Amino acid sequence: MQHTFTKRVASYVEAELSSAREARSAGNAKQEFSHLERAHVLGQESTYWHVRVHVLMLAWAIRNGSTREALGQLFRIVGAATKTAFGLVPQGNTGGANVSPFKTMPINHDLATLIQKAKSGI
């Protein structure tokens, strides 16, 4: 199921990552991180996407000089790499260091719809 979900959610995560790159090119760091957070919510049940988005968040933190975010992302990368396959992810968590890595959060309706599509194969 995980491998299938990873493939099915890929286009949705990649769309958010593309939007993040566009925001970065436009010099809008806040909007870039917002798209990374959306990518995180979409892909957090896939070890591949979960780790990849946290690595991109770490790169964002380094580029933007945020030591707090960088340290938070290092912790989250280890957690994503070791816990995701066991289903130990707090649903809806946006993945930034501004929220507890253990906090479950509500999922925006548009993202919840995409996640459900990826899970059901629609």
Side-chain angles (χ1 to χ4, degrees):
M1 170 70 177
Q2 273 303 97
H3 184 66
T4 302
F5 176 77
T6 298
K7 285 184 176 185
R8 288 179 178 168
V9 81
S11 64
Y12 307 135
V13 176
E14 287 171 350
E16 289 297 334
L17 296 179
S18 177
S19 293
R21 285 188 297 275
E22 289 173 17
R24 178 180 174 197
S25 293
N28 191 336
K30 184 176 178 181
Q31 187 67 29
E32 177 188 4
F33 200 79
S34 176
H35 285 292
L36 292 174
E37 289 175 318
R38 288 174 56 84
H40 179 269
V41 171
L42 287 167
Q44 74 182 135
E45 291 185 50
S46 158
T47 301
Y48 172 78
W49 289 116
H50 199 182
V51 171
R52 183 166 177 201
V53 172
H54 279 299
V55 169
L56 292 171
M57 288 178 160
L58 173 61
W60 180 95
I62 292 167
R63 278 193 312 275
N64 289 281
S66 177
T67 302
R68 180 176 183 269
E69 189 66 47
L71 293 173
Q73 290 308 321
L74 289 171
F75 176 77
R76 285 162 175 80
I77 289 167
V78 172
T82 61
K83 308 287 188 270
T84 305
F86 301 105
L88 300 175
V89 295
Q91 298 298 305
N93 188 292
T94 53
N98 61 327
V99 296
S100 167
F102 308 107
K103 181 180 181 179
T104 299
M105 300 171 72
I107 301 175
N108 289 346
H109 179 72
D110 66 322
L111 299 180
T113 300
L114 296 175
I115 291 166
Q116 190 53 45
K117 280 181 161 182
K119 286 182 176 181
S120 65
I122 296 174

